[in-house]
């Protein structure tokens, strides 16, 4: 497809379980972002990649959160030992240019995580 | 103070009405500004960029007041299909986009 693709779309995890969320950005897009959106809130920045380099991970809420983009294309966001407060929609976005400013970003439909 | 603040609403307006949303931002060095639209259970999508001179796209007008650090979005002749959450988005500089919590709009027949 032409857009940003995320999987799984919906995930229910038991507390303490590890989860992995996948993002396929638009082909050729250099920049990739992960955002977390809790119910009734706006998206909150988690981390940013330029190609395979993770240039900013200041938004990751704890060391249980880890993201990678080893070949500069597909990215995975991993959450270890999930907690109830991790329940949210995880949005991946990509943009054509490098850098975090001045480029339109395109979001995927998100991965809806519920921790029970 | 949050970096980007919006009235969460909801704004319930009849079809054909004009409705305006405001948003304030705290970082005076912010460089660019946007409005995104998010439908229920969908991803945010760019509605329009906001320029200092103000810009219009059909029924939508966006304005920026740098001195007061606020951004506005005006929707004229509201349609049922305009019902959504409108996210105010600020680019503070060399950091990723910062999103407001969004303002919910319901247009009623």
């Amino acid at each position: 497809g032409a857009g940003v693709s995320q999987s799984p779309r919906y995930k229910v995890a038991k507390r303490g379980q590890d989860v992995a969320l996948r993002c396929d950005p638009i082909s050729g897009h250099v920049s990739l972002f992960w955002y977390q959106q809790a119910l009734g809130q706006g998206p909150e920045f988690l981390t940013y990649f330029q190609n395979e380099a993770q240039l900013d991970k200041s938004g990751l809420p704890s060391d249980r959160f880890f993201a990678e983009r080893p070949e500069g294309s597909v990215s995975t966001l991993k959450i270890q030992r999930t907690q109830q407060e991790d329940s949210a929609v995880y949005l991946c976005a990509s943009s054509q240019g490098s850098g975090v400013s001045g480029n339109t970003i395109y979001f995927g439909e998100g991965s809806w995580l519920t921790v029970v | 103070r949050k970096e980007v603040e919006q009235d969460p609403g909801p704004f319930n307006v009849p079809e054909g009405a004009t409705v305006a949303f405001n948003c304030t931002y705290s970082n005076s060095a912010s460089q660019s500004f946007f409005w995104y639209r998010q439908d229920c259970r969908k991803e945010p999508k760019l509605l329009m960029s906001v320029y200092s001179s103000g810009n219009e796209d059909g029924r939508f007008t966006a304005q920026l007041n740098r001195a007061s650090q606020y951004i506005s979005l005006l929707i004229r002749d509201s349609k049922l299909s305009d019902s959504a959450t409108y996210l105010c988005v600020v680019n503070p500089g060399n950091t990723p986009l910062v999103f407001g919590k969004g303002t919910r709009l319901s247009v009623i027949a």
Side-chain angles (χ1 to χ4, degrees):
Chain A
V4 178
S5 177
Q6 293 188 244
S7 62
R9 285 294 320 279
Y10 303 96
K11 174 72 179 177
V12 178
K14 289 185 179 176
R15 205 173 78 172
Q17 190 178 352
D18 297 349
V19 299
L21 309 176
R22 177 189 166 106
C23 173
D24 265 288
I26 294 172
S27 178
H29 275 197
V30 169
S31 298
L32 185 145
F33 305 83
W34 283 99
Y35 281 81
Q36 179 192 58
Q37 187 172 24
L39 194 62
Q41 305 293 313
E44 298 273 351
F45 170 73
L46 293 177
T47 187
Y48 156 64
F49 290 85
Q50 184 176 310
N51 295 308
E52 69 279 3
Q54 189 175 21
L55 298 187
D56 189 340
K57 54 181 181 179
S58 61
L60 296 176
S62 76
D63 58 7
R64 297 186 295 104
F65 286 71
F66 171 76
E68 60 183 5
R69 193 186 185 197
E71 296 175 2
S73 177
V74 170
S75 177
T76 304
L77 176 67
K78 297 178 180 177
I79 309 172
Q80 296 177 322
R81 305 181 304 281
T82 51
Q83 305 292 316
Q84 280 194 309
E85 63 263 28
D86 300 335
S87 296
V89 181
Y90 290 85
L91 293 162
C92 177
S94 69
S95 70
Q96 191 169 30
S98 58
V100 296
S101 59
N103 298 293
T104 299
I105 67 171
Y106 300 88
F107 283 92
E109 289 188 296
S111 288
W112 292 67
L113 173 65
T114 302
V115 181
V116 298
Chain B
R1 182 183 171 189
K2 290 276 287 180
E3 282 195 71
V4 179
E5 294 202 56
Q6 297 181 250
D7 180 345
F11 284 62
N12 299 314
V13 303
E15 272 188 292
T18 296
V19 61
F21 309 135
N22 289 329
C23 160
T24 57
Y25 61 95
S26 60
N27 187 339
S28 59
S30 296
Q31 298 181 356
S32 50
F33 310 87
F34 310 90
W35 284 100
Y36 274 68
R37 172 191 168 131
Q38 186 170 27
D39 292 289
C40 190
R41 303 183 73 83
K42 293 288 194 180
E43 74 276 22
K45 292 183 180 176
L46 178 65
L47 177 66
M48 58 198 303
S49 301
V50 187
Y51 303 117
S52 296
S53 54
N55 49 303
E56 192 173 306
D57 183 2
R59 298 181 294 108
F60 297 82
T61 301
Q63 293 203 306
L64 166 65
N65 185 321
R66 283 191 185 270
S68 301
Q69 293 179 213
Y70 83 76
I71 307 145
S72 65
L73 177 67
L74 183 79
I75 306 175
R76 290 181 298 279
D77 188 23
S78 300
K79 311 288 184 194
L80 293 175
S81 57
D82 294 334
S83 297
T85 295
Y86 291 84
L87 297 162
C88 177
V89 185
V90 172
N91 169 22
N94 286 325
T95 57
L97 298 180
V98 179
F99 287 76
K101 287 187 178 183
T103 298
R104 212 163 84 234
L105 171 67
S106 289
V107 181
I108 304 159

